[in-house]
Amino acid sequence: MISADYSMTFLEDPHRRKNILSGEWVLNSPQRTKRPWNGSIHSPEGKKRTSYDSQCYLCPGNSRAEGEQNPDYKGIFVFANDFPALLPDIEFSESESPLLQVQSVSGICRVLCFSERHDLTLPELELDAVERVVGVWVEQVKELGEIFKWVQIFENKGEMMGSSNPHPHGQIWAGNFLPNEICREDRQQRDYFKTHGTQLLADYLEHEIRSKERLVEINEHWLAVVPWWAVWPFETLILPKRQVACFSGITGDEQSALAELLKNLLTRYDNLFQTSFPYSMGWHGTPFSSLSKESWTLHAHIFPPLLRSASIRKFMVGYEMLAEAQRDLTPEHAAGLLRECSTQHYLKRTL
Ligand code: H2U
Ligand code: ZN
């Protein structure tokens, strides 16, 4: 178990922190940001987007890149990705060489438009619209989890994260294999359960509620923290307060509370640098085929690249590529900055 009172030097001197979900270490160098830092203030983005864009592949009624026409949808629209990364029924013969190993994969990819509105992002949608997005995540995991080993729900938001379109959307990739990150998390949670008889993330959550240092958002059913081992400056982890292993196990009340937490958290992000905060966000829950369901806790990771302003990002280069992940700003400092942000969206205040 983690001790609640660690020395202040953790906030001042270089040290490594362990990511208990991946088993990897992260180098922290807080001495590099010793002076109080106020971040550079940018004036709010001037670009005004229109609620419908005739050139957008995802707007209602428009034709997509391969010619298919979108229905005149309102709210959510799910469709099969026209350029899927995974295809059904692809077979490779296994390689005999231990040097050039290969595995056959099959799966499907879907795109999930969050709203018919081209100009809004998740934190700007009304709460009931965010609730419907959560509802569709749950439905998709239930449906595809029956067929595939792993269902990855995710959103790449913003050009900085490689999103191809500003229309609010996420993706669903389902495949017949367990990807690397899931294997790591499965192993770490299983090992902890074997040793302690309790869930890794349930114990971690208890610690974070007691310490409050890294808490950003909390409500009746969920919380969001900048995890102890965060790599990205403002990375967060969303956890359910009740022990639930997978999306298929959450109640209607928990879905509503999750929508509320997400809207607040993502609004804080946008307010931090007065910009539409880019990130990659995704959900991890127990794989349906897992033999270790009792050790798993459902959770979401949010990985935003921004560091100091709407345009200054953290790069994962030199040392990160060649040695290990490193950060300057401590997770405690990042959580404090996010807590100071309002849950009222800056665009709604300045309009
Ligand atoms: P990203 O913005 O995260 O790249 O997601 C958009 C997805 O939408 C992308 O995977 C798909 C792309 O293949 N897409 C279509 O399926 N049809 C289109 O007409 C445009 C984009
Ligand atoms: Zn659009």
Side-chain angles (χ1 to χ4, degrees):
M1 293 285 286
I2 314 155
S3 153
D5 51 309
Y6 54 81
S7 148
M8 274 306 288
T9 64
F10 276 112
L11 304 179
E12 289 166 10
D13 296 328
H15 59 278
R16 295 167 92 203
R17 298 187 185 197
K18 189 166 188 174
N19 181 337
I20 51 173
L21 271 174
S22 69
E24 289 177 352
W25 291 92
V26 183
L27 175 62
N28 277 241
S29 316
Q31 76 284 6
R32 301 217 301 185
T33 57
K34 239 179 190 166
R35 283 176 301 128
W37 162 67
N38 297 319
S40 44
I41 306 294
H42 276 241
S43 45
E45 278 173 341
K47 268 189 284 165
K48 183 135 179 47
R49 296 218 312 270
T50 49
S51 59
Y52 167 77
D53 177 350
S54 60
Q55 300 305 307
C56 170
Y57 291 123
L58 305 182
C59 269
N62 291 358
S63 291
R64 298 207 300 273
E66 293 289 87
E68 190 135 354
Q69 194 184 10
N70 294 330
D72 196 15
Y73 70 93
K74 282 243 173 299
I76 288 180
F77 170 49
V78 182
F79 65 92
N81 197 316
D82 299 308
F83 309 96
L86 293 163
L87 295 168
D89 309 323
I90 297 292
E91 283 291 331
F92 275 90
S93 45
E94 304 284 317
S95 157
E96 306 224 319
S97 165
L99 301 176
L100 305 174
Q101 300 187 27
V102 64
Q103 212 177 49
S104 300
V105 290
S106 64
I108 61 166
C109 299
R110 291 176 178 167
V111 179
L112 160 56
C113 297
F114 298 148
S115 164
E116 76 283 3
R117 287 280 302 262
H118 182 80
D119 56 336
L120 299 180
T121 61
L122 268 185
E124 296 165 275
L125 293 179
E126 295 299 326
L127 186 59
D128 59 347
V130 184
E131 260 184 72
R132 285 195 290 275
V133 172
V134 172
V136 172
W137 286 342
V138 173
E139 276 168 25
Q140 292 284 322
V141 166
K142 279 185 185 166
E143 180 201 327
L144 295 170
E146 293 292 328
I147 309 164
F148 295 101
K149 258 198 173 150
W150 180 247
V151 182
Q152 185 60 60
I153 303 270
F154 66 98
E155 177 191 5
N156 294 324
K157 184 185 165 214
E159 278 170 32
M160 219 179 250
M161 295 312 289
S163 177
S164 57
N165 191 318
H167 195 111
H169 68 282
Q171 298 196 46
I172 304 151
W173 293 16
N176 69 341
F177 61 98
L178 278 190
N180 296 338
E181 286 299 321
I182 314 312
C183 291
R184 274 189 211 118
E185 292 196 354
D186 188 50
R187 193 168 51 239
Q188 291 293 118
Q189 292 179 89
R190 201 153 18 94
D191 287 352
Y192 186 91
F193 191 80
K194 233 188 261 160
T195 311
H196 300 272
T198 47
Q199 290 92 4
L200 176 77
L201 288 179
D203 287 353
Y204 177 65
L205 171 132
E206 239 180 67
H207 177 84
E208 291 294 12
I209 290 180
R210 250 185 291 121
S211 116
K212 298 193 175 61
E213 280 170 302
R214 285 168 294 277
L215 263 190
V216 178
E217 235 358 280
I218 184 159
N219 68 22
E220 197 186 341
H221 296 295
W222 300 85
L223 58 79
V225 296
V226 179
W228 168 253
W229 56 85
V231 169
W232 297 96
F234 295 95
E235 175 178 335
T236 49
L237 179 75
I238 300 178
L239 290 167
K241 281 183 171 173
R242 183 173 67 90
Q243 186 51 40
V244 50
C246 176
F247 253 147
S248 62
I250 73 171
T251 65
D253 280 355
E254 284 167 335
Q255 287 187 33
S256 309
L258 175 56
E260 200 186 319
L261 182 120
L262 260 179
K263 187 169 159 64
N264 285 344
L265 175 63
L266 299 180
T267 300
R268 285 181 195 276
Y269 273 146
D270 280 7
N271 286 340
L272 184 64
F273 299 133
Q274 307 227 323
T275 193
S276 187
F277 212 70
Y279 58 73
S280 276
M281 159 169 71
W283 285 93
H284 287 160
T286 185
F288 275 56
S289 56
S290 171
L291 299 174
S292 51
K293 286 192 170 46
E294 74 278 13
S295 62
W296 264 87
T297 304
L298 171 70
H299 60 275
H301 298 277
I302 307 185
F303 302 127
L306 292 183
L307 172 61
R308 229 175 285 155
S309 72
S311 55
I312 301 180
R313 59 166 296 167
K314 175 183 173 60
F315 286 97
M316 292 283 199
V317 287
Y319 194 81
E320 278 92 351
M321 283 178 152
L322 294 158
E324 71 184 20
Q326 186 272 343
R327 63 181 292 135
D328 297 343
L329 181 75
T330 62
E332 294 71 26
H333 191 172
L337 292 171
L338 286 171
R339 276 198 303 270
E340 282 167 19
C341 292
S342 168
T343 52
Q344 171 79 24
H345 200 278
Y346 74 94
L347 284 180
K348 294 206 170 147
R349 277 184 274 141
T350 52
L351 275 180

mmCIF file of all heavy atoms in Angstrom, residues 307-331:
data_model
loop_
_atom_site.group_PDB
_atom_site.id
_atom_site.type_symbol
_atom_site.label_atom_id
_atom_site.label_comp_id
_atom_site.label_asym_id
_atom_site.label_seq_id
_atom_site.Cartn_x
_atom_site.Cartn_y
_atom_site.Cartn_z
ATOM 1 N N LEU A 307 1.245 21.737 -22.664
ATOM 2 C CA LEU A 307 2.090 21.908 -21.488
ATOM 3 C C LEU A 307 1.914 23.278 -20.855
ATOM 4 O O LEU A 307 1.668 23.412 -19.670
ATOM 5 C CB LEU A 307 3.544 21.687 -21.915
ATOM 6 C CG LEU A 307 4.635 21.996 -20.907
ATOM 7 C CD1 LEU A 307 4.491 21.118 -19.665
ATOM 8 C CD2 LEU A 307 6.016 21.765 -21.525
ATOM 9 N N ARG A 308 2.053 24.324 -21.667
ATOM 10 C CA ARG A 308 2.144 25.650 -21.078
ATOM 11 C C ARG A 308 1.181 26.672 -21.674
ATOM 12 O O ARG A 308 1.019 27.742 -21.144
ATOM 13 C CB ARG A 308 3.581 26.153 -21.262
ATOM 14 C CG ARG A 308 4.151 26.688 -19.982
ATOM 15 C CD ARG A 308 5.588 27.062 -20.152
ATOM 16 N NE ARG A 308 6.460 25.920 -20.194
ATOM 17 C CZ ARG A 308 7.635 25.919 -20.795
ATOM 18 N NH1 ARG A 308 8.059 26.982 -21.441
ATOM 19 N NH2 ARG A 308 8.397 24.850 -20.760
ATOM 20 N N SER A 309 0.616 26.364 -22.815
ATOM 21 C CA SER A 309 -0.316 27.296 -23.448
ATOM 22 C C SER A 309 -1.044 26.538 -24.539
ATOM 23 O O SER A 309 -0.796 25.345 -24.750
ATOM 24 C CB SER A 309 0.441 28.475 -24.073
ATOM 25 O OG SER A 309 1.130 28.022 -25.218
ATOM 26 N N ALA A 310 -1.910 27.256 -25.262
ATOM 27 C CA ALA A 310 -2.698 26.608 -26.318
ATOM 28 C C ALA A 310 -1.822 26.051 -27.432
ATOM 29 O O ALA A 310 -2.258 25.220 -28.222
ATOM 30 C CB ALA A 310 -3.691 27.609 -26.894
ATOM 31 N N SER A 311 -0.555 26.534 -27.508
ATOM 32 C CA SER A 311 0.286 26.040 -28.608
ATOM 33 C C SER A 311 1.561 25.353 -28.137
ATOM 34 O O SER A 311 2.248 24.729 -28.938
ATOM 35 C CB SER A 311 0.631 27.194 -29.557
ATOM 36 O OG SER A 311 1.234 28.226 -28.806
ATOM 37 N N ILE A 312 1.904 25.472 -26.853
ATOM 38 C CA ILE A 312 3.155 24.838 -26.388
ATOM 39 C C ILE A 312 2.847 23.466 -25.819
ATOM 40 O O ILE A 312 2.185 23.332 -24.786
ATOM 41 C CB ILE A 312 3.876 25.715 -25.345
ATOM 42 C CG1 ILE A 312 4.192 27.077 -25.973
ATOM 43 C CG2 ILE A 312 5.149 25.025 -24.859
ATOM 44 C CD1 ILE A 312 4.892 28.032 -25.054
ATOM 45 N N ARG A 313 3.342 22.462 -26.525
ATOM 46 C CA ARG A 313 3.038 21.089 -26.150
ATOM 47 C C ARG A 313 4.262 20.361 -25.621
ATOM 48 O O ARG A 313 5.396 20.785 -25.844
ATOM 49 C CB ARG A 313 2.483 20.324 -27.345
ATOM 50 C CG ARG A 313 3.423 20.283 -28.544
ATOM 51 C CD ARG A 313 2.991 19.248 -29.539
ATOM 52 N NE ARG A 313 3.073 17.921 -28.943
ATOM 53 C CZ ARG A 313 2.535 16.830 -29.453
ATOM 54 N NH1 ARG A 313 1.840 16.888 -30.572
ATOM 55 N NH2 ARG A 313 2.679 15.662 -28.869
ATOM 56 N N LYS A 314 3.989 19.281 -24.928
ATOM 57 C CA LYS A 314 5.080 18.403 -24.522
ATOM 58 C C LYS A 314 5.358 17.457 -25.683
ATOM 59 O O LYS A 314 4.425 16.910 -26.279
ATOM 60 C CB LYS A 314 4.664 17.589 -23.300
ATOM 61 C CG LYS A 314 5.714 16.572 -22.900
ATOM 62 C CD LYS A 314 5.258 15.731 -21.733
ATOM 63 C CE LYS A 314 6.240 14.606 -21.444
ATOM 64 N NZ LYS A 314 7.597 15.066 -21.115
ATOM 65 N N PHE A 315 6.634 17.279 -25.978
ATOM 66 C CA PHE A 315 7.010 16.306 -26.999
ATOM 67 C C PHE A 315 7.605 15.082 -26.322
ATOM 68 O O PHE A 315 8.372 15.208 -25.367
ATOM 69 C CB PHE A 315 8.035 16.906 -27.966
ATOM 70 C CG PHE A 315 7.417 17.889 -28.913
ATOM 71 C CD1 PHE A 315 7.458 19.247 -28.657
ATOM 72 C CD2 PHE A 315 6.762 17.441 -30.059
ATOM 73 C CE1 PHE A 315 6.865 20.150 -29.533
ATOM 74 C CE2 PHE A 315 6.175 18.331 -30.939
ATOM 75 C CZ PHE A 315 6.218 19.690 -30.674
ATOM 76 N N MET A 316 7.237 13.939 -26.809
ATOM 77 C CA MET A 316 7.840 12.699 -26.319
ATOM 78 C C MET A 316 8.983 12.390 -27.277
ATOM 79 O O MET A 316 8.784 11.693 -28.283
ATOM 80 C CB MET A 316 6.811 11.568 -26.348
ATOM 81 C CG MET A 316 5.703 11.767 -25.363
ATOM 82 S SD MET A 316 6.275 11.372 -23.699
ATOM 83 C CE MET A 316 4.687 11.149 -22.928
ATOM 84 N N VAL A 317 10.136 12.973 -27.000
ATOM 85 C CA VAL A 317 11.260 12.794 -27.934
ATOM 86 C C VAL A 317 12.478 12.220 -27.217
ATOM 87 O O VAL A 317 12.296 11.437 -26.292
ATOM 88 C CB VAL A 317 11.560 14.139 -28.655
ATOM 89 C CG1 VAL A 317 10.467 14.450 -29.679
ATOM 90 C CG2 VAL A 317 11.680 15.297 -27.679
ATOM 91 N N GLY A 318 13.671 12.663 -27.593
ATOM 92 C CA GLY A 318 14.946 12.177 -27.080
ATOM 93 C C GLY A 318 14.897 11.168 -25.944
ATOM 94 O O GLY A 318 14.839 9.957 -26.170
ATOM 95 N N TYR A 319 14.915 11.670 -24.713
ATOM 96 C CA TYR A 319 15.020 10.782 -23.559
ATOM 97 C C TYR A 319 13.834 9.813 -23.490
ATOM 98 O O TYR A 319 13.994 8.635 -23.201
ATOM 99 C CB TYR A 319 15.115 11.613 -22.269
ATOM 100 C CG TYR A 319 15.558 10.799 -21.079
ATOM 101 C CD1 TYR A 319 16.909 10.506 -20.871
ATOM 102 C CD2 TYR A 319 14.626 10.297 -20.174
ATOM 103 C CE1 TYR A 319 17.312 9.729 -19.785
ATOM 104 C CE2 TYR A 319 15.022 9.534 -19.079
ATOM 105 C CZ TYR A 319 16.368 9.253 -18.894
ATOM 106 O OH TYR A 319 16.767 8.482 -17.833
ATOM 107 N N GLU A 320 12.646 10.348 -23.810
ATOM 108 C CA GLU A 320 11.437 9.502 -23.757
ATOM 109 C C GLU A 320 11.512 8.345 -24.755
ATOM 110 O O GLU A 320 11.123 7.228 -24.447
ATOM 111 C CB GLU A 320 10.176 10.314 -24.075
ATOM 112 C CG GLU A 320 9.631 11.096 -22.915
ATOM 113 C CD GLU A 320 10.175 12.508 -22.859
ATOM 114 O OE1 GLU A 320 11.113 12.814 -23.642
ATOM 115 O OE2 GLU A 320 9.686 13.301 -22.049
ATOM 116 N N MET A 321 11.987 8.658 -25.970
ATOM 117 C CA MET A 321 12.054 7.612 -26.997
ATOM 118 C C MET A 321 13.148 6.604 -26.703
ATOM 119 O O MET A 321 13.019 5.428 -27.010
ATOM 120 C CB MET A 321 12.369 8.248 -28.361
ATOM 121 C CG MET A 321 11.192 8.914 -28.994
ATOM 122 S SD MET A 321 11.761 9.652 -30.536
ATOM 123 C CE MET A 321 10.253 9.614 -31.465
ATOM 124 N N LEU A 322 14.227 7.116 -26.108
ATOM 125 C CA LEU A 322 15.408 6.264 -25.962
ATOM 126 C C LEU A 322 15.580 5.669 -24.570
ATOM 127 O O LEU A 322 16.247 4.664 -24.405
ATOM 128 C CB LEU A 322 16.657 7.083 -26.313
ATOM 129 C CG LEU A 322 16.692 7.501 -27.778
ATOM 130 C CD1 LEU A 322 17.575 8.699 -27.986
ATOM 131 C CD2 LEU A 322 17.146 6.340 -28.647
ATOM 132 N N ALA A 323 14.967 6.298 -23.571
ATOM 133 C CA ALA A 323 15.188 5.829 -22.203
ATOM 134 C C ALA A 323 13.869 5.592 -21.480
ATOM 135 O O ALA A 323 13.411 4.458 -21.373
ATOM 136 C CB ALA A 323 16.046 6.841 -21.450
ATOM 137 N N GLU A 324 13.214 6.653 -20.984
ATOM 138 C CA GLU A 324 11.888 6.477 -20.387
ATOM 139 C C GLU A 324 11.156 7.804 -20.309
ATOM 140 O O GLU A 324 11.748 8.871 -20.492
ATOM 141 C CB GLU A 324 11.962 5.827 -18.997
ATOM 142 C CG GLU A 324 12.515 6.697 -17.897
ATOM 143 C CD GLU A 324 12.642 5.957 -16.560
ATOM 144 O OE1 GLU A 324 12.676 4.709 -16.530
ATOM 145 O OE2 GLU A 324 12.721 6.649 -15.527
ATOM 146 N N ALA A 325 9.852 7.731 -20.025
ATOM 147 C CA ALA A 325 9.024 8.938 -19.962
ATOM 148 C C ALA A 325 9.536 9.861 -18.866
ATOM 149 O O ALA A 325 10.043 9.405 -17.830
ATOM 150 C CB ALA A 325 7.584 8.550 -19.703
ATOM 151 N N GLN A 326 9.403 11.178 -19.105
ATOM 152 C CA GLN A 326 9.913 12.167 -18.148
ATOM 153 C C GLN A 326 8.974 13.354 -18.119
ATOM 154 O O GLN A 326 8.357 13.690 -19.131
ATOM 155 C CB GLN A 326 11.312 12.617 -18.593
ATOM 156 C CG GLN A 326 12.045 13.544 -17.647
ATOM 157 C CD GLN A 326 11.733 15.021 -17.888
ATOM 158 O OE1 GLN A 326 11.225 15.404 -18.935
ATOM 159 N NE2 GLN A 326 12.014 15.854 -16.888
ATOM 160 N N ARG A 327 8.830 13.983 -16.952
ATOM 161 C CA ARG A 327 8.024 15.200 -16.840
ATOM 162 C C ARG A 327 8.679 16.152 -15.860
ATOM 163 O O ARG A 327 9.456 15.722 -14.992
ATOM 164 C CB ARG A 327 6.593 14.890 -16.411
ATOM 165 C CG ARG A 327 6.498 14.262 -15.021
ATOM 166 C CD ARG A 327 5.063 13.948 -14.640
ATOM 167 N NE ARG A 327 4.280 15.143 -14.436
ATOM 168 C CZ ARG A 327 3.049 15.320 -14.925
ATOM 169 N NH1 ARG A 327 2.464 14.383 -15.643
ATOM 170 N NH2 ARG A 327 2.386 16.434 -14.687
ATOM 171 N N ASP A 328 8.337 17.462 -15.989
ATOM 172 C CA ASP A 328 8.849 18.472 -15.062
ATOM 173 C C ASP A 328 7.765 18.842 -14.039
ATOM 174 O O ASP A 328 7.979 18.772 -12.845
ATOM 175 C CB ASP A 328 9.269 19.738 -15.811
ATOM 176 C CG ASP A 328 10.421 19.476 -16.780
ATOM 177 O OD1 ASP A 328 11.087 18.435 -16.630
ATOM 178 O OD2 ASP A 328 10.642 20.317 -17.654
ATOM 179 N N LEU A 329 6.629 19.290 -14.555
ATOM 180 C CA LEU A 329 5.498 19.699 -13.716
ATOM 181 C C LEU A 329 5.009 18.479 -12.924
ATOM 182 O O LEU A 329 4.745 17.437 -13.512
ATOM 183 C CB LEU A 329 4.398 20.164 -14.674
ATOM 184 C CG LEU A 329 3.088 20.669 -14.125
ATOM 185 C CD1 LEU A 329 3.278 22.065 -13.546
ATOM 186 C CD2 LEU A 329 2.039 20.719 -15.256
ATOM 187 N N THR A 330 4.901 18.608 -11.609
ATOM 188 C CA THR A 330 4.447 17.411 -10.869
ATOM 189 C C THR A 330 2.950 17.183 -11.096
ATOM 190 O O THR A 330 2.200 18.129 -11.342
ATOM 191 C CB THR A 330 4.672 17.557 -9.345
ATOM 192 O OG1 THR A 330 3.893 18.662 -8.885
ATOM 193 C CG2 THR A 330 6.118 17.717 -8.988
ATOM 194 N N PRO A 331 2.500 15.944 -10.976
ATOM 195 C CA PRO A 331 1.065 15.667 -11.073
ATOM 196 C C PRO A 331 0.255 16.473 -10.056
ATOM 197 O O PRO A 331 -0.852 16.911 -10.340
ATOM 198 C CB PRO A 331 0.983 14.160 -10.785
ATOM 199 C CG PRO A 331 2.299 13.628 -11.254
ATOM 200 C CD PRO A 331 3.294 14.699 -10.922
#
